[in-house]
Amino acid sequence: MMILGICGSPRKAATNHVLSYALEKLENNGFETKSFLLRAKKIAPCIHCDYCLKHKECVQKDDMTNLYALLKEAEGIIMATPVYNGGISGQLKCIMDRCRALGAEDINSLRGKIGLAIAVGGDRSGGQEPAIQQIHSYYILNGIVPISGGSFGANLGASFWSKDKLEEVKKDEYGFKTLNKTLKYFTNYLEK
């Protein structure tokens, strides 16, 4: 069972660290994991040209082509994003929008997969919950089952405070508590 982790950060810092931690925990529990890091990738925004509706593929040929195959193969998806202006990164939004071509190819290509969201903000209340809600909305619209951490500590998903530094996210005990709790629910759903 393969779990795909998508890092929506253009940098190798806090968001990448948290996603790597999650994937390592999953590997230690017997899951195969693959990661797709957006830094140094070329993924253009969707131009909504409707080429995919007619030809069942995206007109743009870039690194998104590799991601389409990984998304179809995965049984679980983790999207991790830094918080930009109270929401997800533009890089992650490009991926979500470009999945229109995946849906045009097969409307059920992502249906039934399990999804987890991670948000890393520079402030404690820097927009992590709205970012997680954006990821959950993407999951719902594509038939992916969004998993939260449940009541009492990780309501929507994994939420981190980095103070815009890798060293600080490593010290965010509460953030790792929310991630561990959400990973527990995530793995329970995957094993059903």
Side-chain angles (χ1 to χ4, degrees):
M1 181 175 305
M2 192 271 277
I3 311 303
L4 174 63
I6 300 171
C7 182
S9 178
R11 301 184 301 151
K12 184 177 181 180
T15 305
N16 183 71
H17 174 76
V18 171
L19 179 61
S20 295
Y21 171 91
L23 295 176
E24 185 177 325
K25 279 201 80 142
L26 290 165
E27 286 174 9
N28 291 339
N29 285 320
F31 292 96
E32 175 192 359
T33 67
K34 293 184 181 176
S35 61
F36 189 87
L37 312 176
L38 290 177
R39 72 174 185 280
K41 295 280 194 303
K42 301 287 184 207
I43 297 179
C46 177
I47 57 174
H48 207 285
C49 64
D50 291 340
Y51 181 91
C52 63
L53 299 179
K54 296 173 187 157
H55 301 280
K56 309 302 180 201
E57 66 179 12
C58 186
V59 69
Q60 301 184 85
K61 303 303 178 214
D62 55 19
D63 289 320
M64 193 68 194
T65 304
N66 297 329
L67 184 55
Y68 290 136
L70 291 170
L71 284 164
K72 288 191 264 189
E73 179 188 352
E75 293 187 49
I77 299 168
I78 300 175
M79 288 189 169
T81 186
V83 176
Y84 288 2
N85 293 302
I88 63 173
S89 70
Q91 290 83 354
L92 187 59
K93 183 67 165 76
C94 283
I95 282 181
M96 292 175 174
D97 293 346
R98 290 282 299 282
C99 280
R100 183 171 194 259
L102 196 57
E105 178 189 342
D106 176 5
I107 193 68
N108 294 310
S109 60
L110 301 176
R111 189 165 308 283
K113 296 177 188 292
I114 308 300
L116 185 150
I118 299 171
V120 180
D123 295 318
R124 172 53 74 197
S125 298
Q128 288 88 329
E129 286 193 346
I132 290 171
Q133 286 175 320
Q134 282 182 278
I135 294 170
H136 283 195
S137 292
Y138 165 81
Y139 287 159
I140 292 165
L141 290 169
N142 287 281
I144 300 167
V145 179
I147 300 299
S148 74
S151 300
F152 310 112
N155 294 319
L156 292 178
S159 176
F160 284 83
W161 181 21
S162 70
K163 301 178 186 175
D164 289 328
K165 295 187 177 29
L166 175 59
E167 303 79 37
E168 293 298 325
V169 86
K170 290 178 179 179
K171 296 188 277 188
D172 186 8
E173 292 179 23
Y174 181 77
F176 283 102
K177 178 183 173 187
T178 66
L179 178 57
N180 289 326
K181 194 169 183 211
T182 308
L183 280 170
K184 180 180 174 186
Y185 283 96
F186 183 70
T187 55
N188 287 344
Y189 272 88
L190 287 166
E191 291 171 345
K192 286 185 180 184

